[in-house]
Amino acid sequence: MSILQCIRPELQSLRPYQAAEQVDDTIRLNANEAPWTTAGAAYRRPLNRYPEVRPGRLGEVLAGIYGCAPDNLVITRGTSEGIDLLIRIFCRAGEDSIVTTTPTFSMYRHYARVQGARIVEHPAAPEHDFAIDPDGLLACCDDSTRIVFICSPNNPTGNSLARADLQEILERCRNRAAVVVDEAYIEFSSQPSVVDLLERYDNLVVLRTLSKALACAGARCGSVIAAKPVAQVLAAVQAPYALSTPVVECVENALADGGFDNARDWIAGIKTERTHLARRLAEFPFVDRVWPSDANFFLVRADNAGAVMAHCAAHGVLVRSFTNDLADCIRITVGSRDENRRLLEVLADYAESLR
Ligand SMILES: Cc1ncc(COP(=O)(O)O)c(C=O)c1O
């Protein structure tokens, strides 16, 4: 028994689309491409040619950064596409289910609905700083569970799951369900990535993205890191040529010459701002709670959160409402020093208006 058996039976042996062969320095009359390139589109790979079916070189670079083998990694159009693909390959419509914590990133629910998979939610309590109880989470799993989603650090609460707790969940889901750990914000966390656990657990899947700490949200580039059989089925289901030449080259450029290492300074700066902002936010009399965060945002509970948000918006500062899920809660992203300073001015102005 392996994780492959948890994948939809009709997909377990799916082979990828057979794309036209791509060989350098040949006359390519095998893909119905145009023989001329359009003006103003200067890329290393000419735009009249299809991109690689899967970006090989970029895959190697990302695998090196994330610490896995290239054949454990599938590059996706943002991790959002990875979430969609995972639910599609593991869940049969009307039969299978996913388990998530709540509150968490809404895309797990969204794509489960699109696929017709049942959603079981394990609530994490604000009074316990949204800590996930592995026993409670596992009690939500049954024979229909195909994926357990764990967002760590979690959006919108900012807390992380301890590695030992994850290992317990992985162990108890072995041969039953995939455990997807969404590490979209891991670069801001003091905890390391859990990618290395893939060697021990074939049911672990890790999601990484260039959208957050790597400042490439506009490029739409994420990675699903999984056991090889899972990666193969994901790649077979994903559209061929999913990543366009401009995106691949722009990301290659961004990562060239230690781009990932250079981001460390920016990340350190955000962490410093995070400490400063948390302290300052907690000082406002209308702020009732600022939860500790391992990510680049905070969940804040404020008296009359709607009025706080409206005041911020009226002064050109947007923050995100979570009041539908959590009474009076707002998520605030840690911005640049100037942006944070402006946020604090606007909030001070709001506090003044209450006096
Ligand atoms: C937890 C989490 N996962 C994934 C994503 C999506 O990231 P991407 O831009 O890679 O699709 C987000 C975006 O906000 C997120 O908060």
Side-chain angles (χ1 to χ4, degrees):
M1 182 79 179
S2 80
I3 190 64
L4 186 62
Q5 267 81 59
C6 297
I7 289 177
R8 282 167 48 197
E10 64 276 27
L11 299 184
Q12 287 173 14
S13 56
L14 186 73
R15 294 282 156 261
Y17 165 74
Q18 288 306 306
E21 233 187 328
Q22 299 177 331
V23 182
D24 288 344
D25 303 323
T26 50
I27 295 173
R28 283 170 54 168
L29 302 178
N30 62 347
N32 301 345
E33 297 158 331
W36 64 87
T37 50
T38 33
Y43 294 99
R44 290 189 286 279
R45 188 183 189 91
L47 216 51
N48 57 318
R49 300 295 172 197
Y50 278 95
E52 286 172 279
V53 182
R54 326 230 149 260
R57 198 155 67 94
L58 183 56
E60 281 174 21
V61 172
L62 289 172
I65 290 170
Y66 297 144
C68 64
D71 51 16
N72 290 127
L73 183 141
V74 180
I75 305 178
T76 51
R77 289 166 287 194
T79 37
S80 310
E81 187 193 17
I83 295 164
D84 178 25
L85 290 173
L86 283 163
I87 294 176
R88 276 202 278 149
I89 72 160
F90 279 105
C91 297
R92 291 165 298 179
E95 291 185 53
D96 297 328
S97 63
I98 66 157
V99 170
T100 71
T101 61
T102 182
T104 193
F105 185 46
S106 60
M107 283 285 168
Y108 317 133
R109 255 191 337 243
H110 174 85
Y111 284 118
R113 282 188 65 187
V114 171
Q115 176 63 8
R118 199 159 52 83
I119 302 152
V120 182
E121 292 182 326
H122 171 60
E127 312 78 76
H128 300 119
D129 287 346
F130 303 102
I132 295 169
D133 160 34
D135 287 329
L137 185 72
L138 288 159
C140 294
C141 298
D142 62 20
D143 289 347
S144 75
T145 308
R146 289 290 166 273
I147 305 181
V148 177
F149 278 100
I150 295 168
C151 187
S152 181
N154 186 41
N155 177 7
T157 56
N159 59 314
S160 304
L161 181 72
R163 190 177 167 94
D165 288 344
L166 172 67
Q167 281 183 258
E168 166 151 20
I169 294 167
L170 283 162
E171 199 63 65
R172 287 167 61 186
C173 287
R174 213 191 261 283
N175 301 330
R176 291 176 60 198
V179 179
V180 176
V181 182
D182 185 340
E183 293 191 335
Y185 300 97
I186 192 71
E187 292 88 355
F188 301 106
S189 170
S190 48
Q191 283 196 35
S193 167
V194 296
V195 167
D196 61 296
L197 291 178
L198 199 55
E199 277 177 14
R200 290 161 63 184
Y201 301 98
D202 75 348
N203 57 337
L204 171 65
V205 179
V206 179
L207 303 178
R208 298 290 297 260
T209 182
L210 299 184
S211 296
K212 309 296 178 184
L214 270 292
C216 290
R220 309 306 302 125
C221 186
S223 297
V224 181
I225 301 164
K228 206 170 147 189
V230 176
Q232 277 171 343
V233 177
L234 285 170
V237 171
Q238 187 186 35
Y241 315 114
L243 281 110
S244 70
T245 298
V247 165
V248 171
E249 295 196 8
C250 121
V251 173
E252 281 175 355
N253 294 346
L255 297 177
D257 299 328
F260 211 95
D261 294 333
N262 299 340
R264 290 216 169 97
D265 290 345
W266 291 96
I267 295 165
I270 291 286
K271 287 179 170 175
T272 307
E273 283 295 304
R274 179 172 76 186
T275 310
H276 169 68
L277 203 53
R279 193 170 40 75
R280 294 292 310 279
L281 287 170
E283 285 167 5
F284 289 111
F286 59 88
V287 170
D288 163 50
R289 184 87 168 90
V290 180
W291 276 276
S293 174
D294 287 336
N296 65 336
F297 54 79
F298 291 103
L299 190 68
V300 173
R301 190 165 58 207
D303 301 335
N304 203 352
V308 177
M309 289 191 53
H311 184 87
C312 287
H315 292 82
V317 178
L318 301 182
V319 293
R320 184 95 178 238
S321 169
F322 275 85
T323 51
N324 285 344
D325 296 320
L326 295 161
D328 277 328
C329 283
I330 303 171
R331 191 193 65 196
I332 300 178
T333 304
V334 181
S336 67
R337 173 151 299 180
D338 284 350
E339 289 171 334
N340 300 335
R341 191 178 297 135
R342 180 68 191 135
L343 167 76
L344 292 169
E345 276 169 15
V346 168
L347 291 176
D349 181 52
Y350 175 76
E352 196 58 36
S353 74
L354 297 178
R355 279 147 62 97

